Amino acid sequence: RFQRRIRACRYDIDQFTPNFLSIFDSLVPSEEEIAKQNQLLAALSRLINKEWPNSKLYLYGSCANSFGFSNSDIDLCLSIDDKEMSKVDIILKLAEILQAGNLQNIQALTRARVPIVKLMDQVTGLSCDICVNNLLAVVNTKLLRDYAQIDRRLQQLAFIVKHWAKSRRVNETYQGTLSSYAYVIMCIHLLQLRRILPCLQEMDATCNVTVDDNHCTYFDQVDKLKNYGAHNKETVSSLLWAFFHYWAYQHDYMQDVISIRTGRIISKHMKDWTRRVGNDRHLICIEDPFETSHDLGRVVDKFSIKILREEFERAANILQYDANPSVTLFEPYVP
Ligand code: CTP
Ligand code: MG
């Protein structure tokens, strides 16, 4: 079934750029909303620090990585060094602290794969999930945010791809499709290949943290890289076209792994990702930048890979031929 098809981009693709950019603008959170998030972070930190003075609360995920839509839930991570208590004990205790601090709708989910406390804050109206000691997520959040500082087109492209994935229901990891985190990595990779973004992990390290045996090092002085991609004049519409053509017709699903750690495509063979091991099927391979044994495509199974590839093809064809791609692309999926 697989055919590599190199198609030339339609000549009039750029006429759709204003439409795509106005979709982007409509999804970006307002200053006011960001202020509310920080207000909640400050209030919760105050409360938790009273009990655990050496703990620290971090924002991570979409509210901190510059790829968050307006009105999304916020992800928080409590970093705490307590050898006496298990993660579940910490979660239960955290729920108690929040309860005593007059927060409402608190739920401790201790049996989830990642145990969390959920809450809805009445003051700001925000919902949030708090996990414990997931520092790798805090570090990869910073990496994504740093990439977003370099070239505005990353944020634009990733917002539109995420919006497409949510409309088409291929952003549901429990159904075997990809996480938002994976889609952002796919966008970074495309822009690295087009020399719009550098590969920060291949440059001299200015940021250096070790989290559970993973050495996370990269160049994080991104204000020095603001002109990195300036020679490339592609618009967000042609990058969107390139993104979907790559995943529909050019990516070699049999052999290749995309890797933003190296800024290149590497081989499945080299990573020993050529066959199914346990639940990891490696049908679409996206290397995590820091936890390099982690394939972000591991949630994808033999049914969902078909759905995903059909959606990539649909999107590629809409961008190539449709009269109104900025509308048709996001038409809701109807089963
Ligand atoms: N994460 C991770 N490994 C994964 C998936 C997620 O480390 N396989 C971490 C990342 O730090 C990511 C965060 O969890 O930023 C949240 O992931 P996700 O919900 O996929 O992304 P969001 O950016 O929060 O997107 P959304 O707007 O869809 O909530
Ligand atoms: Mg999220």
Side-chain angles (χ1 to χ4, degrees), residues 288-316:
D288 185 85
F290 297 126
E291 207 178 358
T292 56
S293 62
H294 185 169
D295 177 3
L296 300 176
R298 70 181 175 188
V299 289
V300 178
D301 61 34
K302 65 180 178 190
F303 302 107
S304 57
I305 187 69
K306 207 167 149 264
I307 294 170
L308 208 48
R309 292 185 63 175
E310 280 167 9
E311 285 297 333
F312 288 142
E313 285 175 33
R314 173 186 175 274

Side-chain angles (χ1 to χ4, degrees), residues 182-251:
Y183 283 115
V184 175
I185 303 268
M186 290 154 79
C187 293
I188 294 174
H189 187 252
L190 178 88
L191 300 193
Q192 284 179 331
L193 294 185
R194 302 176 99 78
R195 302 281 180 264
I196 293 176
L197 291 177
C199 174
L200 296 175
Q201 288 172 273
E202 293 269 279
M203 299 170 65
D204 293 335
T206 52
C207 162
N208 210 319
V209 248
T210 301
V211 184
D212 327 314
D213 299 335
N214 293 294
H215 300 292
C216 308
T217 61
Y218 69 95
F219 182 80
D220 74 341
Q221 298 174 359
V222 286
D223 46 319
K224 295 186 181 152
L225 298 170
K226 293 271 187 216
N227 281 320
Y228 183 90
H231 65 281
N232 179 317
K233 305 284 185 225
E234 283 175 289
T235 63
V236 69
S237 356
S238 77
L239 293 170
L240 205 55
W241 181 94
F243 179 89
F244 287 117
H245 271 75
Y246 176 77
W247 289 100
Y249 301 122
Q250 285 162 277
H251 180 72

Side-chain angles (χ1 to χ4, degrees), residues 60-63 72-75 162 166 180:
Y60 77 100
S62 62
C63 55
S72 47
D73 292 354
I74 67 179
D75 297 309
K162 268 180 70 173
K166 287 178 195 291
S180 296

Side-chain angles (χ1 to χ4, degrees), residues 54 109 124 148-149 154 156 158 180 239 292 308 326:
N54 295 324
L109 307 184
T124 55
Q149 297 301 310
L154 171 60
Q156 296 166 347
S180 296
L239 293 170
T292 56
L308 208 48
S326 62

